[in-house]
Amino acid sequence: MCGIFGYCGQRRAAPIIIEGLKRLEYRGYDSFGIAVMDQGITVRKKQGKISLGASDLSRVKGKMGIGHTRWATHGEPNNQNAHPHLDCHDSIAVVHNGIIENYAGLKRELQARGHGFRSETDTEVIPHLIEEEFKGDLAAAVSAVLPRLEGSYALLVIATGCGEMVAARKRSPLVIGIGDRACLAASDVTPLLEHTERVIYLEDGDIASLSTGGIEIRHQGTRVKRPVQKIDWSLAEVKKGGFAHYMLKEIYEQPEVFSSTMRALKEEEIPDILQDTGGVTLVACGTSYHAALLCRYLIEEHCGIPARVELASEFKYFTSPGGDLVVGVSQSGETADTLAAMQKARMFSHPTLAVTNVLGSTITRLADHTLFMRAGPEISVAATKSFIAELAVFFHLVDRLAGGALEHSLGRGHLAIGEALLQDLSQAVDLCRNAQSMFFVGRGPFYPLALEGALKMKEITYIHAEGYAAGEIKHGPFALLSPETPVVALCPPGHAFPVMFSNIKEMKARGTPMIVLGVQGTQDLEEISDVFIPLPDGGIISHILASAALVQLLAYHTAVALGRDVDQPRNLAKSVTVE
Ligand code: M6R
């Protein structure tokens, strides 16, 4: 949930750390801080966003340091609770992403032994525990403390008088960058791209010592070698490239993302576990869950395999993990609930498949097989191109398992998205921007798209929006319909069309403003709509892809009209690494 970054090299560390944190800000943005080693440790912390308030921090001297951008879990976002946290003598500094579940007991023990605390965070116990163990060898002290910590962590630690920075991880991501006479560490690869394309993904339980002399990794006391991997994302991909927001850039990248994911998958073998399975259970959160839910309809229709889709956060409460094969879908590959669901599937000895965008992410290490989407780095908190890439992966699998049933439509997918991007949504935005509350409705695969449209709308505009299966609207939500409650109806041609058409008329009869996505000339759909947004001609795949892009754009333009912080909406973070 938070972003951590460390640097150790020949250059002034503070400006490098600040730039690194800016690239990680999408992971958390309520406060930030740095600790830099020179004669002693200098710490600077601030409430608010690093992009707005870090200019004076660059002057701090020293060539090794650590930084943190926070998404608060323990204690409100203020200067005291911002990381780095220190020991009693200000000589050990720690940044942490994750949660120390047993911190309250540890804190009581430490207080009883005379340690003074300055924050309400769980993290602060760590520098105090290290203080008790530290006798000149920082890695040894960290290693003595880690068994006492329950929960999850990615940690960076520095100490006065030590020429090394120590990194450790358990169930939170941490990547080491190998620079030119420099070592770096970060929560993900995006801030490392400016410095290197060579990275090492630490494993759970690894403790790494980073210094200008190199990198030494130990696991359970033994020195280990981890593979050095080459990152194939470019620096240009993590910059805005002339777009007003990352979200808009990422929406516009979707035609290419769809095609490149398809191209890459064509070269790959379908894992045997998929060909032979008698049923699948898909587990995911948020937007990835909606992608999985949508694909269930296609898997069942075209492959004849029963498919179950579960929220990863609920999966642990079921006694049976369901179908033969468990598929975890996660853009980041680091979502705690999805990882927990995959672990549960493994416990029950089910084969597992991961669908993810991030090479080296934790989910790839939990799953028996991984299929990568090729979305490139997604910076905006709102997932857009990763949703399209997830659909691309599933469409491809369905097509291969169903002997090419979708092949023709898939070849045109990028065109459908491209056409959607040309639509003028200003009338629809005018209806939405004044709403307090709204609904998105659809049937079949367009029901998960309604859920996704509502999620996008609420998360970046803060308008209350609910996605509903159109058939459910009459079972309660109808009471909320009024001229002040716009409804976005996804109504492409197909076997659900007649009943959707009736549903739209019923809602319209309550004075509800109707924004309808459909194909021009289908019955008198345009006439019964307040705002009609045309979908391209083509089959269901084109309609799905175009609808996805349109609901994303509708949310985007409404958020811009309302002056919202599109890329970093309030209270959210891109990567949800706590359950
Ligand atoms: O990285 P993941 O795909 O596992 O993330 C799951 C959700 O947190 C994510 O899809 C979230 O719902 C979106 N950022 C919302 O736009």
Side-chain angles (χ1 to χ4, degrees):
M1 288 308 248
C2 306
I4 64 176
F5 186 90
Y7 172 83
C8 169
Q10 309 296 324
R11 294 162 55 197
R12 187 179 277 223
I16 295 174
I17 298 169
I18 288 160
E19 283 313 303
L21 292 181
K22 282 183 187 167
R23 298 236 176 272
L24 291 171
E25 198 168 29
Y26 68 90
R27 300 175 65 89
Y29 33 85
D30 59 44
S31 50
F32 61 92
I34 62 170
V36 180
M37 176 91 76
D38 196 22
Q39 307 299 354
I41 294 177
T42 307
V43 175
R44 297 275 187 276
K45 308 187 199 191
K46 280 195 183 177
Q47 189 175 342
K49 290 188 170 200
I50 192 157
S51 43
L52 302 177
S55 47
D56 53 322
L57 270 58
S58 302
R59 291 194 289 275
V60 176
K61 281 192 188 150
K63 293 181 178 170
M64 178 165 78
I66 55 179
H68 186 273
T69 179
R70 181 166 185 247
W71 186 88
T73 55
H74 294 69
E76 65 178 81
N78 59 26
N79 282 3
Q80 285 72 37
N81 292 330
H83 298 215
H85 291 289
L86 296 165
D87 69 326
C88 294
H89 310 290
D90 296 349
S91 59
I92 296 168
V94 173
V95 290
H96 167 220
N97 171 33
I99 288 193
I100 305 303
E101 287 158 7
N102 59 335
Y103 86 100
L106 292 171
K107 188 170 178 175
R108 275 194 300 277
E109 276 178 34
L110 285 158
Q111 282 170 326
R113 292 199 290 271
H115 292 263
F117 280 75
R118 297 173 244 192
S119 79
E120 301 157 88
T121 65
D122 53 337
T123 302
E124 201 183 350
V125 297
I126 303 172
H128 290 282
L129 289 168
I130 296 173
E131 177 190 340
E132 293 192 337
E133 299 290 341
F134 185 47
K135 299 186 179 62
D137 181 343
L138 186 59
V142 173
S143 146
V145 164
L146 295 183
R148 304 204 56 200
L149 305 179
E150 288 168 19
S152 58
Y153 51 77
L155 294 176
L156 295 176
V157 188
I158 54 172
T160 308
C162 277
E164 62 181 354
M165 166 168 76
V166 174
R169 70 156 277 175
K170 181 181 156 198
R171 288 175 23 218
S172 283
L174 193 53
V175 194
I176 305 296
I178 307 166
D180 179 18
R181 291 189 299 152
C183 298
L184 305 105
S187 299
D188 71 36
V189 296
T190 48
L192 302 178
L193 294 171
E194 290 181 60
H195 305 277
T196 183
E197 52 179 22
R198 298 195 309 139
V199 302
I200 296 171
Y201 293 93
L202 290 185
E203 302 275 337
D204 271 358
D206 284 354
I207 300 178
S209 300
L210 315 181
S211 69
T212 45
I215 298 164
E216 191 177 303
I217 304 173
R218 290 187 174 271
H219 191 92
Q220 293 176 345
T222 308
R223 205 164 160 185
V224 290
K225 272 201 170 304
R226 299 285 177 224
V228 176
Q229 307 207 20
K230 191 166 171 279
I231 320 169
D232 61 1
W233 289 353
S234 71
L235 188 55
E237 284 178 294
V238 297
K239 294 194 167 170
K240 260 190 227 157
F243 284 88
H245 299 98
Y246 279 111
M247 182 177 177
L248 191 62
K249 173 179 178 256
E250 288 160 5
I251 289 174
Y252 272 80
E253 284 169 358
Q254 292 182 130
E256 176 52 28
V257 163
F258 184 79
S259 300
S260 56
T261 301
M262 285 291 166
R263 262 197 311 274
L265 289 170
K266 272 192 187 145
E267 309 297 314
E268 282 182 31
E269 286 295 307
I270 295 254
D272 289 344
I273 45 169
L274 254 174
Q275 320 236 29
D276 305 337
T277 189
V280 287
T281 298
L282 299 117
V283 289
C285 300
T287 293
S288 296
Y289 170 74
H290 297 154
L293 209 53
L294 191 157
C295 293
R296 173 189 180 176
Y297 293 89
L298 302 181
I299 295 171
E300 295 204 337
E301 180 180 344
H302 295 285
C303 310
I305 302 172
R308 174 179 149 189
V309 185
E310 299 296 350
L311 287 167
S313 54
E314 289 297 306
F315 192 64
K316 54 179 160 281
Y317 306 117
F318 295 119
T319 43
S320 134
D324 292 353
L325 171 67
V326 176
V327 182
V329 191
S330 174
Q331 182 281 131
S332 62
E334 301 293 350
T335 299
D337 284 314
T338 310
L339 299 181
M342 295 293 271
Q343 262 150 355
K344 175 169 176 179
R346 281 166 64 110
M347 254 170 53
F348 280 83
S349 305
H350 283 262
T352 50
L353 174 75
V355 175
T356 187
N357 193 32
V358 181
L359 190 82
S361 56
T362 307
I363 203 169
T364 63
R365 275 173 267 146
L366 281 177
D368 299 320
H369 295 273
T370 299
L371 288 173
F372 285 104
M373 42 178 129
R374 290 343 194 247
E378 188 177 65
I379 310 292
S380 181
V381 165
T384 52
K385 62 175 179 170
S386 62
F387 179 69
I388 290 291
E390 286 165 353
L391 295 186
V393 172
F394 285 117
F395 290 172
H396 171 79
L397 289 179
V398 169
D399 183 55
R400 291 275 286 270
L401 294 173
L406 303 177
E407 195 175 354
H408 176 67
S409 335
L410 294 183
R412 301 182 47 78
H414 63 292
L415 300 174
I417 307 169
E419 268 190 59
L421 299 181
L422 299 174
Q423 297 300 329
D424 173 9
L425 301 181
S426 50
Q427 279 184 294
V429 170
D430 284 343
L431 272 183
C432 298
R433 65 182 293 184
N434 296 315
Q436 295 292 315
S437 182
M438 55 187 297
F439 288 94
F440 286 71
V441 296
R443 284 173 178 264
F446 295 87
Y447 158 53
L449 283 174
L451 294 175
E452 179 57 12
L455 175 62
K456 289 284 97 80
M457 186 61 83
K458 75 183 100 181
E459 74 172 321
I460 61 166
T461 69
Y462 317 149
I463 295 169
H464 173 243
E466 286 196 56
Y468 254 91
E472 276 294 298
I473 273 272
K474 276 180 287 199
H475 299 280
F478 233 63
L480 294 176
L481 297 184
S482 76
E484 283 75 49
T485 315
V487 174
V488 177
L490 306 174
C491 189
H495 68 268
F497 179 85
V499 67
M500 264 308 285
F501 187 78
S502 307
N503 294 154
I504 293 170
K505 290 218 283 203
E506 288 154 6
M507 288 186 271
K508 180 111 182 99
R510 272 72 191 175
T512 310
M514 295 300 306
I515 300 167
V516 179
L517 276 65
V519 169
Q520 271 166 335
T522 350
Q523 222 158 308
D524 31 0
L525 196 57
E526 280 177 75
E527 287 71 48
I528 62 164
S529 312
D530 292 277
V531 175
F532 182 78
I533 303 174
L535 294 172
D537 277 335
I540 183 165
I541 296 293
S542 293
H543 296 150
I544 288 171
L545 293 169
S547 303
L550 286 165
V551 294
Q552 293 166 353
L553 278 174
L554 181 60
Y556 172 79
H557 289 299
T558 307
V560 171
L562 290 169
R564 304 297 190 226
D565 187 344
V566 175
D567 285 331
Q568 293 175 349
R570 70 184 179 204
N571 303 339
L572 298 181
K574 178 87 183 153
S575 189
V576 184
T577 54
V578 291
E579 287 182 33

